[in-house]
Coordinates of all heavy atoms in Angstrom, one line a residue:
M9 N -100.2 -79.5 133.2 CA -100.0 -80.5 132.2 C -101.4 -81.0 131.8 O -101.5 -81.6 130.7 CB -99.2 -81.6 132.8 CG -98.8 -82.7 131.7 SD -97.4 -83.8 132.1 CE -97.8 -84.4 133.8
A10 N -102.4 -80.8 132.5 CA -103.7 -81.4 132.2 C -104.3 -80.8 130.9 O -104.9 -81.6 130.1 CB -104.7 -81.0 133.3
G11 N -104.0 -79.6 130.6 CA -104.6 -79.0 129.3 C -103.7 -79.2 128.1 O -104.1 -79.0 127.0
D12 N -102.4 -79.6 128.4 CA -101.5 -79.8 127.3 C -101.5 -81.2 126.8 O -101.6 -82.1 127.5 CB -100.0 -79.5 127.8 CG -99.8 -78.1 128.2 OD1 -100.5 -77.2 127.6 OD2 -99.1 -77.8 129.1
S13 N -101.4 -81.4 125.5 CA -101.4 -82.7 124.9 C -100.0 -82.9 124.4 O -99.3 -82.0 123.9 CB -102.4 -82.9 123.8 OG -102.0 -82.0 122.7
V14 N -99.5 -84.1 124.6 CA -98.2 -84.5 124.1 C -98.4 -85.1 122.7 O -99.0 -86.1 122.5 CB -97.5 -85.6 125.0 CG1 -96.2 -86.0 124.5 CG2 -97.4 -85.0 126.4
E15 N -97.8 -84.3 121.7 CA -98.0 -84.7 120.3 C -97.1 -85.9 119.9 O -96.0 -86.0 120.3 CB -97.6 -83.5 119.4 CG -98.6 -82.4 119.6 CD -98.2 -81.2 118.7 OE1 -97.5 -81.3 117.8 OE2 -98.7 -80.1 119.0
S16 N -97.7 -86.8 119.1 CA -96.9 -87.9 118.6 C -96.7 -87.9 117.1 O -96.2 -88.9 116.6 CB -97.6 -89.2 119.0 OG -98.9 -89.3 118.4
E17 N -97.1 -86.8 116.4 CA -96.9 -86.8 115.0 C -95.4 -86.6 114.7 O -94.6 -86.2 115.5 CB -97.7 -85.7 114.4 CG -97.3 -84.3 114.7 CD -98.3 -83.3 114.2 OE1 -99.5 -83.5 114.3 OE2 -97.8 -82.3 113.7
S18 N -95.1 -87.0 113.4 CA -93.7 -86.9 113.0 C -93.2 -85.5 112.9 O -93.9 -84.6 112.4 CB -93.6 -87.5 111.6 OG -92.3 -87.3 111.1
P19 N -92.0 -85.2 113.4 CA -91.4 -83.9 113.3 C -90.8 -83.7 111.9 O -90.5 -82.5 111.6 CB -90.3 -83.9 114.4 CG -89.9 -85.3 114.5 CD -91.2 -86.1 114.2
W20 N -90.8 -84.7 111.1 CA -90.1 -84.6 109.8 C -91.2 -84.7 108.7 O -91.2 -85.6 107.9 CB -89.1 -85.7 109.7 CG -88.2 -85.5 108.6 CD1 -88.1 -86.3 107.4 CD2 -87.1 -84.6 108.4 NE1 -87.1 -85.8 106.6 CE2 -86.5 -84.8 107.2 CE3 -86.7 -83.5 109.3 CZ2 -85.4 -84.0 106.8 CZ3 -85.6 -82.7 108.8 CH2 -85.0 -83.0 107.6
D21 N -92.0 -83.6 108.6 CA -93.0 -83.6 107.6 C -92.4 -82.8 106.4 O -91.2 -82.4 106.4 CB -94.3 -82.9 108.0 CG -94.1 -81.5 108.6 OD1 -93.1 -80.9 108.3 OD2 -95.0 -81.0 109.3
S22 N -93.1 -82.6 105.3 CA -92.6 -82.0 104.1 C -92.2 -80.6 104.3 O -91.2 -80.1 103.8 CB -93.6 -82.1 103.0 OG -94.8 -81.5 103.3
D23 N -92.9 -79.8 105.2 CA -92.6 -78.4 105.5 C -91.3 -78.4 106.2 O -90.4 -77.6 105.9 CB -93.7 -77.8 106.3 CG -93.4 -76.3 106.6 OD1 -93.0 -75.6 105.7 OD2 -93.5 -76.0 107.8
T24 N -91.1 -79.2 107.2 CA -89.9 -79.3 108.0 C -88.7 -79.7 107.2 O -87.6 -79.1 107.3 CB -90.1 -80.3 109.2 OG1 -91.2 -79.9 110.0 CG2 -88.9 -80.3 110.1
K25 N -88.9 -80.7 106.3 CA -87.8 -81.1 105.5 C -87.4 -80.0 104.6 O -86.2 -79.7 104.4 CB -88.3 -82.3 104.6 CG -87.2 -82.8 103.7 CD -87.6 -84.0 102.9 CE -86.5 -84.6 102.1 NZ -86.9 -85.8 101.3
A26 N -88.3 -79.2 104.0 CA -88.0 -78.1 103.1 C -87.2 -77.0 103.9 O -86.2 -76.5 103.4 CB -89.2 -77.5 102.5
R27 N -87.7 -76.7 105.1 CA -87.0 -75.7 106.0 C -85.6 -76.1 106.3 O -84.7 -75.3 106.3 CB -87.8 -75.4 107.2 CG -89.1 -74.6 106.9 CD -90.0 -74.4 108.1 NE -89.3 -73.8 109.2 CZ -89.6 -73.9 110.5 NH1 -90.7 -74.7 110.8 NH2 -89.0 -73.3 111.4
F28 N -85.4 -77.4 106.6 CA -84.1 -77.9 107.0 C -83.2 -77.9 105.8 O -82.0 -77.5 105.9 CB -84.2 -79.4 107.6 CG -83.0 -79.9 108.0 CD1 -82.4 -79.6 109.3 CD2 -82.2 -80.8 107.2 CE1 -81.2 -80.1 109.7 CE2 -81.1 -81.4 107.7 CZ -80.5 -81.0 108.9
T29 N -83.7 -78.3 104.7 CA -82.9 -78.4 103.5 C -82.4 -77.0 103.0 O -81.3 -76.8 102.5 CB -83.6 -79.1 102.3 OG1 -84.0 -80.4 102.8 CG2 -82.8 -79.3 101.1
N30 N -83.3 -76.0 103.1 CA -83.0 -74.7 102.6 C -82.4 -73.7 103.6 O -82.1 -72.6 103.2 CB -84.3 -74.1 102.1 CG -84.9 -74.9 100.9 OD1 -84.1 -75.4 100.1 ND2 -86.2 -75.0 100.8
K31 N -82.1 -74.2 104.8 CA -81.5 -73.3 105.8 C -80.0 -73.1 105.4 O -79.4 -73.9 104.7 CB -81.6 -73.9 107.2 CG -80.7 -75.1 107.4 CD -80.7 -75.5 108.8 CE -79.7 -76.6 109.1 NZ -78.3 -76.3 108.8
R32 N -79.5 -72.0 105.8 CA -78.0 -71.8 105.6 C -77.2 -72.7 106.5 O -77.7 -73.1 107.6 CB -77.7 -70.3 106.0 CG -78.2 -69.3 104.9 CD -77.9 -67.9 105.3 NE -79.0 -67.5 106.1 CZ -78.9 -66.5 106.9 NH1 -77.8 -65.8 107.1 NH2 -79.9 -66.1 107.7
N33 N -76.0 -73.0 106.1 CA -75.2 -74.0 106.9 C -74.9 -73.5 108.3 O -74.7 -74.3 109.2 CB -73.9 -74.3 106.2 CG -74.1 -75.1 104.9 OD1 -75.1 -75.9 104.9 ND2 -73.2 -75.1 104.0
S34 N -74.9 -72.2 108.5 CA -74.6 -71.6 109.8 C -75.8 -71.6 110.7 O -75.7 -71.3 111.9 CB -74.0 -70.2 109.7 OG -75.0 -69.4 109.1
E35 N -77.0 -71.9 110.2 CA -78.2 -71.8 111.0 C -78.4 -73.2 111.7 O -78.2 -74.2 111.1 CB -79.4 -71.5 110.1 CG -79.5 -70.1 109.6 CD -80.7 -69.9 108.8 OE1 -81.1 -70.8 108.1 OE2 -81.2 -68.8 108.8
Y36 N -79.0 -73.1 112.9 CA -79.4 -74.3 113.6 C -80.9 -74.4 113.5 O -81.6 -73.5 113.6 CB -79.0 -74.2 115.1 CG -79.4 -75.3 115.9 CD1 -78.7 -76.5 115.9 CD2 -80.5 -75.3 116.8 CE1 -79.1 -77.6 116.6 CE2 -80.9 -76.4 117.5 CZ -80.2 -77.6 117.4 OH -80.6 -78.6 118.1
F37 N -81.3 -75.6 113.2 CA -82.7 -75.9 113.0 C -83.1 -77.1 113.8 O -82.5 -78.2 113.6 CB -83.1 -76.1 111.5 CG -84.5 -76.4 111.3 CD1 -85.5 -75.4 111.4 CD2 -85.0 -77.7 111.0 CE1 -86.8 -75.6 111.2 CE2 -86.3 -77.9 110.8 CZ -87.2 -76.9 110.9
D38 N -84.1 -77.0 114.6 CA -84.5 -78.1 115.5 C -86.0 -78.3 115.3 O -86.8 -77.5 115.8 CB -84.2 -77.9 116.9 CG -84.5 -79.1 117.8 OD1 -85.0 -80.1 117.3 OD2 -84.3 -78.9 119.0
P39 N -86.5 -79.4 114.6 CA -87.9 -79.5 114.4 C -88.6 -79.9 115.8 O -89.8 -79.9 115.8 CB -88.0 -80.7 113.4 CG -86.8 -81.4 113.5 CD -85.7 -80.4 113.9
C40 N -87.8 -80.2 116.8 CA -88.4 -80.6 118.1 C -88.4 -79.4 119.1 O -88.5 -79.6 120.3 CB -87.6 -81.8 118.6 SG -87.8 -83.3 117.6
Q41 N -88.2 -78.2 118.5 CA -88.1 -77.0 119.4 C -89.4 -76.8 120.2 O -89.3 -76.4 121.4 CB -87.7 -75.8 118.6 CG -87.5 -74.6 119.4 CD -86.4 -74.8 120.5 OE1 -85.3 -75.2 120.1 NE2 -86.7 -74.4 121.7
E42 N -90.5 -77.1 119.6 CA -91.8 -76.9 120.4 C -91.8 -77.8 121.6 O -92.2 -77.4 122.7 CB -92.9 -77.2 119.4 CG -94.3 -76.9 120.1 CD -95.5 -77.1 119.2 OE1 -95.3 -77.0 118.0 OE2 -96.5 -77.3 119.7
A43 N -91.4 -79.1 121.4 CA -91.3 -80.0 122.6 C -90.3 -79.5 123.6 O -90.6 -79.6 124.8 CB -91.0 -81.4 122.1
A44 N -89.2 -79.0 123.2 CA -88.2 -78.5 124.1 C -88.8 -77.3 124.9 O -88.6 -77.2 126.1 CB -86.9 -78.1 123.3
S45 N -89.4 -76.4 124.2 CA -90.0 -75.3 124.8 C -91.1 -75.7 125.9 O -91.1 -75.1 126.9 CB -90.7 -74.3 123.8 OG -89.7 -73.8 122.9
R46 N -91.9 -76.7 125.5 CA -92.9 -77.1 126.5 C -92.2 -77.7 127.7 O -92.7 -77.5 128.8 CB -93.8 -78.2 125.8 CG -94.7 -77.6 124.8 CD -95.6 -78.7 124.3 NE -96.5 -78.2 123.3 CZ -97.3 -78.9 122.6 NH1 -97.4 -80.2 122.7 NH2 -98.1 -78.3 121.7
S47 N -91.1 -78.4 127.6 CA -90.4 -78.9 128.7 C -89.9 -77.8 129.6 O -90.0 -77.9 130.8 CB -89.2 -79.8 128.2 OG -89.6 -80.9 127.5
M48 N -89.3 -76.8 129.0 CA -88.8 -75.7 129.8 C -89.9 -74.9 130.5 O -89.8 -74.5 131.6 CB -88.0 -74.7 128.9 CG -86.7 -75.3 128.3 SD -85.6 -76.0 129.5 CE -85.1 -74.5 130.4
K49 N -91.0 -74.7 129.8 CA -92.2 -74.0 130.4 C -92.7 -74.8 131.6 O -93.0 -74.3 132.6 CB -93.3 -73.8 129.4 CG -93.0 -72.8 128.4 CD -94.2 -72.6 127.4 CE -93.8 -71.7 126.3 NZ -94.9 -71.6 125.3
C50 N -92.7 -76.2 131.5 CA -93.1 -77.0 132.6 C -92.2 -76.8 133.8 O -92.6 -76.7 134.9 CB -93.2 -78.5 132.1 SG -93.7 -79.6 133.4
L51 N -90.9 -76.8 133.5 CA -89.9 -76.6 134.6 C -90.1 -75.3 135.3 O -90.1 -75.2 136.5 CB -88.5 -76.7 134.1 CG -87.9 -78.1 133.8 CD1 -86.6 -78.0 133.1 CD2 -87.8 -78.9 135.1
H52 N -90.3 -74.2 134.5 CA -90.5 -72.9 135.1 C -91.8 -72.9 135.9 O -91.9 -72.4 137.0 CB -90.6 -71.8 134.1 CG -89.2 -71.6 133.5 ND1 -88.3 -70.9 134.1 CD2 -88.7 -71.9 132.3 CE1 -87.2 -70.8 133.3 NE2 -87.4 -71.5 132.2
R53 N -92.9 -73.5 135.4 CA -94.2 -73.5 136.0 C -94.2 -74.3 137.3 O -94.9 -74.0 138.3 CB -95.2 -74.2 135.0 CG -96.6 -74.0 135.4 CD -97.6 -74.5 134.3 NE -97.3 -75.8 133.8 CZ -96.9 -76.1 132.5 NH1 -96.9 -75.2 131.6 NH2 -96.7 -77.4 132.2
N54 N -93.3 -75.3 137.4 CA -93.2 -76.2 138.6 C -92.0 -76.0 139.4 O -91.6 -76.9 140.2 CB -93.3 -77.7 138.1 CG -94.7 -78.0 137.6 OD1 -95.7 -78.0 138.3 ND2 -94.7 -78.3 136.3
G55 N -91.4 -74.8 139.3 CA -90.3 -74.5 140.2 C -89.1 -75.4 140.0 O -88.3 -75.6 141.0
G56 N -88.9 -75.9 138.8 CA -87.7 -76.7 138.6 C -87.8 -78.2 139.0 O -86.9 -79.0 138.9
D57 N -89.0 -78.6 139.4 CA -89.3 -80.0 139.8 C -89.4 -80.9 138.6 O -90.4 -80.9 137.9 CB -90.6 -80.1 140.6 CG -90.8 -81.4 141.2 OD1 -90.0 -82.4 140.9 OD2 -91.8 -81.6 141.9
R58 N -88.3 -81.6 138.3 CA -88.2 -82.4 137.1 C -89.2 -83.6 137.1 O -89.7 -84.0 136.1 CB -86.8 -83.0 137.0 CG -85.8 -81.9 136.7 CD -84.4 -82.5 136.6 NE -84.2 -83.5 135.5 CZ -84.0 -83.2 134.3 NH1 -83.8 -81.9 133.9 NH2 -83.8 -84.1 133.4
E59 N -89.6 -84.0 138.3 CA -90.6 -85.1 138.4 C -91.9 -84.7 137.8 O -92.7 -85.6 137.3 CB -90.7 -85.6 139.8 CG -89.5 -86.3 140.4 CD -89.2 -87.6 139.7 OE1 -90.2 -88.3 139.4 OE2 -88.0 -87.8 139.4
M60 N -92.3 -83.5 137.9 CA -93.5 -83.0 137.4 C -93.6 -82.9 135.8 O -94.6 -82.7 135.3 CB -93.9 -81.6 138.0 CG -94.0 -81.6 139.5 SD -95.4 -82.5 140.0 CE -96.8 -81.5 139.4
C61 N -92.4 -83.0 135.2 CA -92.3 -82.7 133.8 C -91.8 -84.0 133.0 O -91.4 -83.8 131.8 CB -91.4 -81.6 133.5 SG -91.9 -80.1 134.4
T62 N -91.9 -85.1 133.6 CA -91.3 -86.3 132.9 C -92.0 -86.6 131.6 O -91.3 -87.0 130.6 CB -91.4 -87.6 133.8 OG1 -92.7 -87.8 134.2 CG2 -90.5 -87.4 135.0
D63 N -93.3 -86.3 131.4 CA -94.0 -86.6 130.2 C -93.5 -85.6 129.1 O -93.3 -86.0 127.9 CB -95.5 -86.3 130.3 CG -96.2 -87.4 131.2 OD1 -95.6 -88.5 131.3 OD2 -97.3 -87.2 131.7
Y64 N -93.2 -84.4 129.4 CA -92.6 -83.4 128.5 C -91.2 -83.8 128.0 O -90.9 -83.7 126.9 CB -92.6 -82.0 129.1 CG -94.0 -81.5 129.2 CD1 -94.6 -81.5 130.5 CD2 -94.7 -80.9 128.2 CE1 -95.9 -81.0 130.7 CE2 -96.0 -80.4 128.3 CZ -96.6 -80.4 129.6 OH -97.8 -79.9 129.7
F65 N -90.4 -84.3 129.0 CA -89.1 -84.7 128.6 C -89.1 -85.9 127.7 O -88.3 -86.0 126.8 CB -88.3 -85.1 129.9 CG -88.1 -83.9 130.8 CD1 -88.0 -84.1 132.2 CD2 -87.9 -82.6 130.4 CE1 -87.8 -83.1 133.1 CE2 -87.7 -81.6 131.2 CZ -87.7 -81.8 132.6
Q66 N -90.0 -86.9 128.0 CA -90.1 -88.1 127.2 C -90.6 -87.7 125.8 O -90.1 -88.2 124.8 CB -91.1 -89.1 127.8 CG -91.0 -90.4 127.1 CD -89.7 -91.1 127.1 OE1 -89.0 -91.2 128.1 NE2 -89.2 -91.5 125.9
A67 N -91.5 -86.8 125.7 CA -92.0 -86.3 124.4 C -90.9 -85.7 123.6 O -90.8 -86.0 122.4 CB -93.2 -85.3 124.5
Y68 N -90.0 -85.0 124.2 CA -88.9 -84.4 123.5 C -87.9 -85.5 123.1 O -87.4 -85.5 121.9 CB -88.2 -83.4 124.4 CG -86.9 -82.8 123.8 CD1 -87.0 -81.9 122.7 CD2 -85.7 -83.1 124.2 CE1 -85.9 -81.3 122.1 CE2 -84.5 -82.6 123.6 CZ -84.7 -81.7 122.6 OH -83.5 -81.2 122.0
R69 N -87.6 -86.4 123.9 CA -86.7 -87.5 123.6 C -87.3 -88.3 122.4 O -86.6 -88.7 121.5 CB -86.4 -88.4 124.8 CG -85.5 -87.8 125.8 CD -85.0 -88.8 126.8 NE -86.1 -89.3 127.7 CZ -86.5 -88.7 128.8 NH1 -85.8 -87.6 129.2 NH2 -87.4 -89.2 129.5
D70 N -88.6 -88.6 122.5 CA -89.2 -89.4 121.4 C -89.2 -88.6 120.1 O -88.9 -89.2 119.0 CB -90.7 -89.7 121.8 CG -90.8 -90.7 122.9 OD1 -89.8 -91.3 123.2 OD2 -91.9 -90.8 123.5
C71 N -89.4 -87.3 120.1 CA -89.3 -86.5 119.0 C -87.9 -86.5 118.3 O -87.8 -86.7 117.1 CB -89.7 -85.0 119.3 SG -89.7 -83.9 117.9
K72 N -86.9 -86.3 119.2 CA -85.5 -86.3 118.7 C -85.2 -87.7 118.1 O -84.6 -87.8 117.0 CB -84.6 -86.0 119.8 CG -84.4 -84.5 120.1 CD -83.8 -83.8 118.9 CE -83.0 -82.7 119.4 NZ -82.5 -81.8 118.3
K73 N -85.6 -88.7 118.8 CA -85.3 -90.1 118.3 C -85.9 -90.3 116.9 O -85.3 -90.8 116.0 CB -85.8 -91.1 119.3 CG -85.5 -92.5 118.9 CD -85.9 -93.5 120.0 CE -85.6 -94.9 119.7 NZ -86.1 -95.8 120.7
H74 N -87.2 -89.9 116.8 CA -87.9 -90.1 115.5 C -87.3 -89.3 114.4 O -87.1 -89.7 113.3 CB -89.4 -89.7 115.8 CG -90.3 -90.1 114.6 ND1 -90.6 -91.4 114.4 CD2 -90.9 -89.3 113.7 CE1 -91.4 -91.4 113.3 NE2 -91.6 -90.2 112.9
W75 N -87.0 -88.0 114.7 CA -86.4 -87.1 113.8 C -85.0 -87.7 113.3 O -84.8 -87.7 112.1 CB -86.2 -85.7 114.3 CG -85.5 -84.8 113.4 CD1 -85.9 -84.5 112.1 CD2 -84.4 -83.9 113.7 NE1 -85.1 -83.6 111.6 CE2 -84.1 -83.2 112.5 CE3 -83.6 -83.7 114.8 CZ2 -83.1 -82.3 112.5 CZ3 -82.6 -82.8 114.7 CH2 -82.4 -82.1 113.6
M76 N -84.2 -88.1 114.2 CA -82.9 -88.6 113.8 C -83.0 -89.9 113.0 O -82.3 -90.1 112.0 CB -82.0 -88.9 115.0 CG -81.7 -87.6 115.8 SD -80.9 -86.3 114.8 CE -79.4 -87.0 114.4
A77 N -84.0 -90.8 113.3 CA -84.2 -92.0 112.5 C -84.6 -91.6 111.1 O -84.2 -92.2 110.1 CB -85.2 -92.9 113.2
E78 N -85.5 -90.6 111.0 CA -86.0 -90.2 109.6 C -84.9 -89.5 108.8 O -84.8 -89.7 107.6 CB -87.2 -89.3 109.8 CG -88.4 -90.1 110.2 CD -89.7 -89.3 110.1 OE1 -89.8 -88.3 109.3 OE2 -90.6 -89.6 110.9
R79 N -84.0 -88.8 109.5 CA -82.9 -88.1 108.8 C -81.9 -89.2 108.3 O -81.4 -89.1 107.2 CB -82.1 -87.2 109.8 CG -82.8 -85.9 110.0 CD -82.8 -85.0 108.7 NE -81.5 -84.8 108.2 CZ -81.2 -84.8 106.9 NH1 -82.1 -85.0 106.0 NH2 -79.9 -84.5 106.6
R80 N -81.6 -90.2 109.1 CA -80.7 -91.3 108.7 C -81.3 -92.0 107.5 O -80.6 -92.3 106.5 CB -80.5 -92.3 109.9 CG -79.4 -91.9 110.8 CD -79.1 -93.0 111.8 NE -80.2 -93.5 112.6 CZ -80.5 -92.9 113.7 NH1 -79.8 -91.9 114.2 NH2 -81.5 -93.4 114.4
E81 N -82.6 -92.3 107.5 CA -83.2 -93.0 106.4 C -83.2 -92.1 105.1 O -82.9 -92.6 104.1 CB -84.7 -93.3 106.8 CG -85.5 -94.0 105.7 CD -84.9 -95.4 105.3 OE1 -84.2 -96.0 106.2 OE2 -85.2 -95.9 104.2
A82 N -83.4 -90.8 105.3 CA -83.4 -89.9 104.1 C -81.9 -89.9 103.6 O -81.8 -89.9 102.3 CB -83.8 -88.5 104.5
K83 N -80.9 -89.8 104.4 CA -79.6 -89.8 104.0 C -79.2 -91.1 103.3 O -78.5 -91.1 102.3 CB -78.6 -89.5 105.1 CG -78.6 -88.1 105.5 CD -77.5 -87.9 106.6 CE -77.5 -86.4 107.0 NZ -76.4 -86.2 108.0
R84 N -79.7 -92.2 103.8 CA -79.4 -93.5 103.3 C -80.0 -93.6 101.9 O -79.4 -94.1 100.9 CB -80.0 -94.6 104.1 CG -79.7 -96.1 103.6 CD -80.5 -97.1 104.3 NE -81.9 -97.1 104.1 CZ -82.5 -97.4 102.9 NH1 -81.8 -97.8 101.9 NH2 -83.8 -97.3 102.8
K85 N -81.3 -93.1 101.7 CA -81.9 -93.1 100.4 C -81.1 -92.2 99.4 O -81.0 -92.6 98.2 CB -83.3 -92.6 100.5 CG -84.2 -93.7 101.1 CD -85.7 -93.2 101.2 CE -86.6 -94.2 101.8 NZ -87.9 -93.8 102.0
E86 N -80.7 -91.0 99.9 CA -79.9 -90.1 99.0 C -78.6 -90.8 98.6 O -78.2 -90.7 97.4 CB -79.6 -88.8 99.7 CG -80.8 -87.9 99.9 CD -80.4 -86.7 100.8 OE1 -79.2 -86.5 101.0 OE2 -81.4 -86.1 101.3
W87 N -78.0 -91.5 99.5 CA -76.7 -92.1 99.2 C -76.9 -93.3 98.2 O -76.2 -93.4 97.3 CB -76.1 -92.6 100.5 CG -74.7 -93.2 100.3 CD1 -73.6 -92.5 100.1 CD2 -74.3 -94.6 100.4 NE1 -72.5 -93.4 100.0 CE2 -73.0 -94.6 100.2 CE3 -75.1 -95.7 100.6 CZ2 -72.3 -95.8 100.2 CZ3 -74.4 -96.9 100.6 CH2 -73.0 -97.0 100.4
S88 N -77.9 -94.1 98.5 CA -78.1 -95.2 97.6 C -78.6 -94.8 96.2 O -78.2 -95.4 95.2 CB -79.1 -96.2 98.1 OG -80.4 -95.6 98.3
S89 N -79.3 -93.7 96.1 CA -79.7 -93.2 94.8 C -78.6 -92.6 94.0 O -78.5 -92.6 92.8 CB -80.9 -92.2 94.9 OG -80.5 -91.0 95.5
S90 N -77.6 -92.0 94.8 CA -76.5 -91.4 94.1 C -75.5 -92.5 93.6 O -74.7 -92.3 92.6 CB -75.7 -90.5 95.0 OG -75.0 -91.2 96.1
L91 N -75.6 -93.7 94.1 CA -74.8 -94.8 93.6 C -75.6 -95.6 92.5 O -75.0 -96.5 91.9 CB -74.6 -95.8 94.8 CG -73.6 -95.3 95.9 CD1 -73.5 -96.4 97.0 CD2 -72.3 -95.0 95.3
G92 N -76.8 -95.1 92.2 CA -77.5 -95.8 91.1 C -78.3 -97.0 91.6 O -78.7 -97.8 90.8
G93 N -78.5 -97.1 92.9 CA -79.2 -98.2 93.5 C -80.6 -97.9 93.7 O -81.6 -98.2 93.6

């Protein structure tokens, strides 16, 4: 974990938004996949010891929370603009 940095930038940038919007309905898209992968790599590296990977788990939770908040806000804006507001 010493060489890895936990990123705090938004998972919902313009590139991510375009990829999410243009994906097929049957496709799953997770902008936090990198954080999830880092969590899994940490678990494998530490023999499944969850205590060694708490920073990675928290980074994933923070990413998901931030992404969901931004998606809600984007949907709210779309909805209010469709009503003429």
Side-chain angles (χ1 to χ4, degrees):
M9 186 162 51
D12 295 328
S13 65
V14 178
E15 296 178 17
S16 61
E17 67 184 44
S18 172
W20 194 249
D21 57 17
S22 59
D23 180 50
T24 304
K25 183 177 181 180
R27 288 175 55 204
F28 183 79
T29 304
N30 295 324
K31 73 173 184 60
R32 287 179 272 160
N33 287 337
S34 62
E35 290 181 325
Y36 178 75
F37 179 75
D38 183 2
C40 298
Q41 185 57 48
E42 185 176 337
S45 295
R46 288 181 181 177
S47 295
M48 294 306 294
K49 285 178 186 176
C50 181
L51 282 174
H52 289 284
R53 192 172 51 240
N54 291 293
D57 185 357
R58 295 179 59 85
E59 291 296 318
M60 297 294 291
C61 304
T62 56
D63 291 341
Y64 291 99
F65 298 145
Q66 188 61 49
Y68 177 72
R69 285 190 296 271
D70 291 346
C71 180
K72 280 295 213 187
K73 183 178 179 180
H74 191 73
W75 178 50
M76 295 307 291
E78 289 190 24
R79 284 292 303 139
R80 277 192 298 275
E81 180 65 19
K83 284 184 179 184
R84 186 191 63 76
K85 286 180 181 178
E86 289 172 16
W87 185 73
S88 64
S89 68
S90 70
L91 293 176

